[in-house]
Amino acid sequence: MESLSKRAKVLEKKPMTFAERAYLPAIFQGLTITMRHFFRAATKKQVTVRYPDETRPFSPVFRGLHVLKRDEAGRERCTACGLCAVACPAEAITMVAGERKKGEENLYREEKYAVSYEINMLRCIFCGLCEEACPKAAVYLQADKMAPPRFERDEFIYGKDRLVEPVTPDNRSKRGIQLTPEQADKLRSQMQTV
């Protein structure tokens, strides 16, 4: 087939020499580049950050750890509409909706609330689409906190006990496991007395 520009260049295929066939020049060329970078790196500034003892500065548009916000009265803002879960491209958010019972008006803003709300941090890509999709401004990605390093996979599944803004810091769980019904009742009674 003829080219459109009619500027064809004829290439000759020269036979390879013995050294080229043995790949010796390519090996030595690669080794010289490696040694040059090795000795140049020793004189350069250290680029390794010893996390978590040291942290590098965050970008102004950094999206970090998730938090479920409360309103001014201390009630959960999330109404379990599911828009954050639908907007999540990694499908990291799962939730179960429930209806508010009588006497729980000071716990939840609307009649519908999230009984269970979980984010799998191993799947999350921290894109911020869940924050943008939320009509109640309940999901927020903190600009100053990163997900801490963990050793077990189940510690990366953040439940409501780790995501909801705490009323008091001692109510926070150490791991991302949902509260048992007894713990939830205890927390509700504590919140009602406050």
Side-chain angles (χ1 to χ4, degrees):
M1 181 184 249
E2 200 174 310
S3 68
L4 295 175
S5 63
K6 296 196 171 47
R7 285 187 254 157
K9 183 176 183 180
V10 178
L11 297 176
E12 293 181 27
K13 191 170 186 179
K14 297 177 188 173
M16 293 172 60
T17 64
F18 175 74
E20 290 174 338
R21 281 184 288 174
Y23 296 108
L24 291 177
I27 290 171
F28 288 122
Q29 183 182 10
L31 284 174
T32 55
I33 291 171
T34 302
M35 288 298 150
R36 192 175 340 132
H37 283 287
F38 179 75
F39 290 113
R40 189 182 309 158
T43 61
K44 275 187 166 182
K45 184 184 111 182
Q46 187 177 9
V47 295
T48 302
V49 176
R50 301 199 181 281
Y51 181 81
D53 300 328
E54 301 173 15
T55 57
R56 62 178 69 206
F58 291 118
S59 165
V61 293
F62 175 75
R63 293 184 293 262
L65 202 57
H66 297 73
V67 66
L68 288 174
K69 303 294 270 179
R70 293 184 182 271
D71 64 1
E72 302 79 31
R75 299 173 298 188
E76 291 181 19
R77 288 186 180 196
C78 181
T79 58
C81 62
L83 290 175
C84 56
V86 172
C88 182
E91 297 177 358
I93 301 173
T94 58
M95 73 175 64
V96 175
E99 288 195 26
R100 180 176 72 186
K101 296 178 182 74
K102 209 169 234 195
E104 292 182 337
E105 289 82 16
N106 60 340
L107 295 176
Y108 312 107
R109 283 173 70 169
E110 308 286 334
E111 289 80 26
K112 191 173 156 193
Y113 73 100
V115 175
S116 171
Y117 189 99
E118 292 181 344
I119 299 178
N120 187 342
M121 291 298 176
L122 294 174
R123 296 188 79 176
C124 180
I125 58 174
F126 299 95
C127 62
L129 291 176
C130 55
E131 182 180 15
E132 293 176 19
C134 185
K136 301 290 184 178
V139 180
Y140 180 71
L141 275 69
Q142 301 173 24
D144 59 342
K145 292 185 183 173
M146 293 178 17
R150 307 273 181 187
F151 293 106
E152 300 295 327
R153 291 184 69 84
D154 65 337
E155 293 177 352
F156 285 100
I157 298 174
Y158 283 39
K160 276 182 71 172
D161 57 336
R162 292 181 73 185
L163 292 171
V164 177
E165 277 184 323
V167 178
T168 58
D170 59 329
N171 290 338
R172 274 252 106 104
S173 170
K174 301 288 187 269
R175 301 176 74 197
I177 299 172
Q178 291 287 1
L179 294 174
T180 63
E182 295 82 26
Q183 291 171 330
D185 291 336
K186 182 181 174 186
L187 183 59
R188 270 193 210 99
S189 65
Q190 287 176 353
M191 289 175 63
Q192 288 174 352
T193 58
V194 171

